[in-house]
Amino acid sequence: MSEAGGRRMTQASKDETRPRRNQLAALAGAIERVARFDMPADAALSSFFREHAEMGARDRAFVSDAVFAYLRRKRSLETLAQTNSPRLLALALVVRDFSHSVRELEPVIHASDARWLADFKGRLHAPLPLAAAADVPDWLWERLGEICGDEARASLTRAWQTPAPLDLRVNVMKATRDAALAAFSAEGFPIATTPYAPFALRIDGRPMLARHPWLADGRVEVQDEGSQLVGLLVAPRRTDMVVDFCAGAGGKTLLLGAMMRSQGRLYAFDVAAKRLARLAPRLARSGLSNVHPQVIASERDTKVKRLAGKIDRVLVDAPCTGFGTLRRNPDLKWRQTPADVVELTAKQARIVDAAATLVKPGGRLVYATCSVLPEENDGIVDAFLAAHPDFSEANVAALLAHAGVPLDTGARLRLRPDVHGCDGFFAAVLERKAQ
């Protein structure tokens, strides 16, 4: 190939990967929409896409990836950019986080924007306040320091600045992990088994799998490995009566149902009908017939009272700050406040107290969150045990070892993305003493 031909191919390649003018405008609009923080980022982005139905799949993928990159690195980006302008932040984002040069962007931006970007690039290595460099609010930075010290705090916040891989759970009602691994590997996906959960696979990057046959027919589900480990602690037997007390869209419900081999009876409770409605199509393709979704008005609903003292296993995946999932849900660190934590801990205490009334003598309650804050975790469990002498705590490490899981985080499950590669989760196993 001639040198001139090589230059033409290089230029063509740059032109193909360079963001287009309409993509940059769409990204600015999407940043403006999600930065209101009046709803979860994925819902805000969906709303934006509905309002811009003319956007194609490639443009939507570009905007979605860039918006979540903005949310992960929002504070450092805005500090360095010295502006809250969505248009300028969109330009700064593609230069800093997507490695496009100012020269590369010049054909699709104004000369004044190119000059602004040149100034912005000159500030990229300027020192930042520690919380800004870590891309977390001051209050959370300070709280993390109190919880885990400087080194662990720095490691955790670095992990939060990066996107999570895609974890899958193989539905043992329909397939084996080896079969799934072989099938996805044959298609060229960078896939491997995860280190702990026995049904989990992990794909690097964020491939679009929504229409993949294995997801469409329920052979696999998207579920983080940490979430799967929480389900393993419930350890339901095939003939058990089980309650997933805060089922949401039902990821853990489906895991529990598969572990029960579609036998026994599994109730999926939630106070939000919209959340449970998302379970319906997943349940339909799962092959399970033992799951019974039920909307409850509150944790003291009559549907709950009717089951008092009858349930073998209860999972309380409590509503929480969600800070363990900040790689996937980075907007949460900008939407949650210390006042929200106080409100959530009061709710968590009420929920676990109500859920405990379901547990029969000799039965098990698993309290879990996807939070890293001890006030949502150990604080709730310690207060519960102090108020409920008829419950005692089982050792999580021993239970995981019995299940063949090579993981020991102590008597309680404590997962962190920087240490274990999965989302941050906490769980404690509480057993009602046999009469």
Side-chain angles (χ1 to χ4, degrees), residues 4 27 32 41 46 68 90 99 163 179 188 200 216 238 294 297 299 338 346 412 430:
L27 175 55
E32 189 281 328
S46 294
F68 278 89
S99 302
R238 296 191 183 193
Q294 294 193 0
E299 67 271 9
R412 296 172 181 176
L430 311 171

Side-chain angles (χ1 to χ4, degrees), residues 26-323:
L27 175 55
I31 287 174
E32 189 281 328
R33 180 63 193 89
V34 300
R36 299 175 201 171
F37 297 116
D38 55 350
M39 63 176 69
D42 55 352
L45 199 54
S46 294
S47 174
F48 177 81
F49 288 148
R50 284 195 300 271
E51 294 167 4
H52 297 81
E54 74 284 356
M55 291 178 64
R58 182 178 174 185
D59 291 345
R60 289 176 182 233
F62 166 79
V63 169
S64 181
D65 287 348
V67 161
F68 278 89
Y70 159 72
L71 291 169
R72 287 186 199 97
R73 307 294 311 280
K74 174 181 182 293
R75 188 169 183 189
S76 61
L77 186 75
E78 291 178 353
T79 303
L80 291 168
Q82 300 176 2
T83 181
N84 290 318
S85 162
R87 182 177 60 83
L88 294 177
L89 289 174
L91 297 178
L93 183 73
V94 299
V95 166
R96 187 190 71 168
D97 296 82
F98 291 86
S99 302
H100 291 287
S101 68
V102 178
R103 178 172 294 183
E104 193 180 343
L105 295 176
E106 282 177 346
V108 295
I109 63 176
H110 298 297
S112 58
D113 289 336
R115 290 192 293 272
W116 181 86
L117 275 174
D119 290 340
F120 166 74
K121 285 197 69 175
R123 296 191 293 272
L124 283 181
H125 300 292
L128 294 173
L130 293 177
D135 287 294
V136 293
D138 287 337
W139 75 268
L140 182 55
W141 177 256
E142 292 164 6
R143 185 71 185 104
L144 292 173
E146 295 166 356
I147 294 166
C148 56
D150 292 346
E151 186 176 342
R153 173 178 63 179
S155 175
L156 177 59
T157 52
R158 277 196 303 272
W160 284 344
Q161 291 173 323
T162 61
L166 178 66
D167 284 4
L168 302 174
R169 175 183 59 81
V170 178
N171 178 1
V172 295
M173 296 291 294
K174 293 192 167 188
T176 66
R177 183 161 75 163
D178 287 345
L181 179 63
F184 280 93
S185 297
E187 293 183 40
F189 288 99
I191 191 168
T193 58
T194 60
Y196 309 117
F199 315 129
L201 295 168
R202 177 166 295 153
I203 301 179
D204 287 336
R206 299 293 294 176
M208 298 297 291
L209 291 181
R211 293 185 175 86
H212 192 281
W214 278 67
L215 271 82
D217 65 13
R219 283 176 286 175
V220 298
E221 279 279 346
V222 174
Q223 186 177 22
D224 180 78
E225 183 183 28
S227 175
Q228 297 183 45
L229 291 171
V230 169
L232 289 179
L233 292 176
V234 180
R237 295 158 298 197
R238 296 191 183 193
T239 57
D240 278 349
M241 288 182 66
V242 180
V243 171
D244 187 350
F245 203 79
C246 307
K252 295 182 185 67
T253 305
L254 296 175
L255 168 58
L256 297 177
M259 291 173 69
M260 297 166 73
R261 296 289 175 171
S262 200
Q263 299 177 42
R265 193 168 184 86
L266 172 55
Y267 294 96
F269 287 166
D270 205 276
V271 295
K274 285 186 177 179
R275 283 198 292 263
L276 273 184
R278 297 204 299 272
L279 169 59
R282 304 172 73 188
L283 181 57
R285 62 179 178 251
S286 71
L288 298 175
S289 59
N290 65 336
V291 178
H292 303 273
Q294 294 193 0
V295 179
I296 57 175
S298 73
E299 67 271 9
R300 297 292 179 178
D301 191 287
T302 55
K303 296 173 185 174
V304 177
K305 293 179 180 178
R306 282 200 297 265
L307 295 172
K310 298 178 181 178
I311 304 301
D312 299 282
R313 298 284 192 268
V314 177
L315 170 61
V316 176
D317 182 16
C320 65
T321 55
F323 286 158

